[in-house]
Amino acid sequence: MPADLPNEMECLDIEDVASMLGKSERMIRNYIKDNGLPFVGDGRERRFIWAKVLEWYVAYRINLDGNRGNGLGASSLAPQIPTSETFDEAALRKLRAEADLVELKLASARGEVAAIADVERVLAASSISIQTQLLAVPSRLATQMLGLEDHGRAIAILEAEMRQVLTNLSTIDAVREATGLADREADLS
């Protein structure tokens, strides 16, 4: 091994780098040739130091993609970049991420995870139902309250109506209503 190469535990070959970045070996060679991906050695002796590769790749992606309007510039991302991560630590992090993904898919299959769009649809349907029922109260009570001079009786009528509305709202099957709402929206489009 040439003297300019770090010890073998710190070095990766092109196959390792491609795997860790989720890219093809050809893409890694293109990164070297066209974009300056750092490496040490030459030809078959070419090796990569993971910390330098990761730092380069994050900077490359930031430069390529920009911050996509998230308000974070490159300087605010820098402290979060694990530049001293070893290959073993990165492999472990990747393994954990893959395990988390499998657990998420399993929980989703069990119905333990809800998509944000589904939750938004359920909340929208619930809000519409609440709004509809509350806005219907004045028209239902108008005839009962017309000409009523007994303050106590007026309060009793209002309380009874509000209790009925709250009872109705507590029995809303928001999921069924949201599904119905989604079906109606799909029919309209």
Side-chain angles (χ1 to χ4, degrees):
M1 179 181 290
D4 65 336
L5 289 177
N7 74 46
E8 197 170 311
M9 296 300 288
E10 296 175 354
C11 291
L12 306 173
D13 61 19
I14 196 165
E15 184 178 315
D16 293 330
V17 172
S19 173
M20 296 302 293
L21 294 178
K23 304 291 180 186
S24 68
E25 290 180 33
R26 182 178 193 162
M27 181 61 80
I28 300 303
R29 285 190 287 277
N30 288 342
Y31 284 158
I32 293 167
K33 184 177 119 193
D34 300 332
N35 302 101
L37 176 67
F39 64 92
V40 291
D42 285 328
R44 296 188 187 273
E45 296 288 325
R46 182 182 296 160
R47 296 288 182 255
F48 303 86
I49 300 169
W50 177 245
K52 290 184 179 183
V53 169
L54 183 61
E55 183 177 10
W56 174 88
Y57 186 71
V58 169
Y60 170 78
R61 292 304 305 199
I62 289 170
N63 185 41
L64 186 67
D65 296 337
N67 65 18
R68 296 190 182 187
N70 64 10
L72 300 175
S75 61
S76 63
L77 289 177
Q80 300 171 8
I81 301 170
T83 57
S84 62
E85 183 176 49
T86 66
F87 176 74
D88 289 337
E89 290 168 339
L92 181 60
R93 184 172 47 81
K94 180 181 177 189
L95 183 63
R96 285 182 183 146
E98 289 170 346
D100 288 345
L101 184 59
V102 168
E103 287 182 24
L104 180 61
K105 287 179 181 178
L106 181 60
S108 182
R110 290 180 181 156
E112 297 171 350
V113 176
I116 291 173
D118 293 339
V119 172
E120 287 173 343
R121 196 171 35 254
V122 168
L123 289 175
S126 296
S127 295
I128 290 169
S129 182
I130 290 167
Q131 180 182 15
T132 302
Q133 290 193 35
L134 288 176
L135 290 174
V137 169
S139 61
R140 278 197 308 268
L141 294 182
T143 57
Q144 295 178 36
M145 304 287 290
L146 189 63
L148 193 63
E149 295 182 16
D150 183 6
H151 182 68
R153 178 75 180 128
I155 289 175
I157 291 171
L158 287 170
E159 283 180 352
E161 183 63 27
M162 294 314 295
R163 287 184 198 284
Q164 183 60 44
V165 168
L166 292 173
T167 299
N168 292 346
L169 291 175
S170 69
T171 59
I172 290 175
D173 185 352
V175 174
R176 186 174 58 229
E177 289 192 24
T179 304
L181 178 66
D183 293 343
R184 287 189 299 274
E185 287 174 355
D187 291 342
L188 294 174
S189 28

